[in-house]
Amino acid sequence: MGVLQRFERRLEGLVEGAFARVFGGVVQPVEVAAALQREAADNKQIVGQGRVLVPNAFVVEMGSSDLARFAEWEQALRDELAAMVGDSAREQGWSFIGQVTVLFEQVDELGVGVFRVRSSVATGATPSPAHLTAPSHPTGPARLTGAEQPRLVVTGPPERVVPLDREVVVVGRGVEADLRLSDTGVSRSHAELRTAASGAVRVVDLGSTNGTLVNGQRVDDAVLVDGDRLVIGATAMVFRTASR
């Protein structure tokens, strides 16, 4: 039984056949699964020691009507799609550099029954069972550790603490962002938090549509001090140094 057939079989049993009722007997998620397989295959690249690296972060764009049909079962479907991509990669001997993720995104210009897939290689995720052997050479900026780590406190609910444990942390709405904000007022790549060897942290706006605010003032580039309040889109964050 092929990967898509196994995916469809699992889908048929999901929530006691709810998908069959929702889609009137036409299991449209299988079309999305096939598109994810093609996207991975079309973007594979050979890395060190003959390994083939494929994207691990996928976004499925669709119109509001189709997205509404997926809404009730979105998380379960995303998990099944991610598992399917992992199964397919295993069979092909392909590798990921991080956990496989699948997100849905509304694009109003897309009509009913039309969807698009985009992908990227996203580092820093915790490997899942679908994770294969990563390339032997590390990618991305060096990570900072221990007492060197300042952090952002993203106000909630729920509140969450994001350690600035990399030289560059990208904040944005896009799947490639290190700190991803599900906020329509945030650009895909909105701003960067840059930590210098001295420990100083700068926030740099990346030409975002709505700008980056520090203590109520719009900034292009600013050095942060403990307690500074950042607002990106509608999301508020407080900068804290490692000593606090």
Side-chain angles (χ1 to χ4, degrees):
M1 183 182 294
V3 172
L4 287 178
Q5 288 73 29
R6 293 198 299 272
F7 170 77
E8 189 170 7
R9 181 69 59 84
R10 290 198 304 267
L11 207 60
E12 288 173 353
L14 188 62
V15 198
E16 298 181 350
F19 275 109
R21 296 194 298 274
V22 171
F23 294 101
V26 179
V27 187
Q28 294 177 1
V30 175
E31 298 176 8
V32 177
L36 291 174
Q37 277 190 316
R38 290 194 299 271
E39 178 73 11
D42 290 346
N43 290 280
K44 63 181 182 293
Q45 53 183 311
I46 297 176
V47 294
Q49 299 178 357
R51 294 192 180 97
V52 177
L53 179 68
V54 293
N56 63 305
F58 298 85
V59 177
V60 181
E61 300 176 345
M62 64 187 80
S64 58
S65 178
D66 284 317
L67 190 61
R69 297 167 73 186
F70 285 102
E72 186 175 358
W73 320 111
E74 178 181 344
Q75 186 60 59
L77 179 56
R78 285 168 46 196
D79 290 345
E80 289 293 345
L81 288 166
M84 181 280 307
V85 173
D87 289 345
S88 177
R90 260 192 300 270
E91 290 193 356
Q92 300 293 331
W94 297 340
S95 298
F96 301 120
I97 204 167
Q99 182 179 1
V100 179
T101 60
V102 177
L103 299 177
F104 295 158
E105 185 174 289
Q106 180 174 319
V107 177
D108 292 333
E109 68 188 48
L110 296 179
V112 176
V114 178
F115 65 89
R116 296 189 300 236
V117 174
R118 69 177 194 272
S119 64
S120 62
V121 174
T123 63
T126 302
S128 69
H131 180 72
L132 304 182
T133 304
S136 57
H137 301 289
T139 63
R143 290 182 177 273
L144 304 175
T145 59
E148 297 173 320
Q149 292 183 7
R151 60 199 183 278
L152 284 179
V153 179
V154 183
T155 60
E159 181 180 287
R160 55 178 168 148
V161 177
V162 180
L164 302 179
D165 56 354
R166 305 170 67 89
E167 292 176 5
V168 178
V169 172
V170 178
V171 181
R173 185 165 50 88
V175 69
E176 68 280 358
D178 300 304
L179 171 53
R180 187 170 185 271
L181 302 176
S182 298
D183 180 338
T184 56
V186 176
S187 299
R188 293 185 185 281
S189 295
H190 194 107
E192 289 181 347
L193 280 300
R194 302 176 182 174
T195 303
S198 63
V201 177
R202 308 179 70 90
V203 60
V204 179
D205 188 84
L206 299 177
S208 66
T209 301
N210 295 317
T212 299
L213 302 182
V214 176
N215 300 327
Q217 300 295 316
R218 185 164 179 163
V219 300
D220 293 324
D221 186 335
V223 176
L224 299 176
V225 298
D226 185 70
D228 276 349
R229 180 180 174 86
L230 285 76
V231 176
I232 293 179
T235 303
M237 294 165 275
V238 177
F239 172 74
R240 290 297 183 189
T241 61
S243 61
R244 293 292 299 274

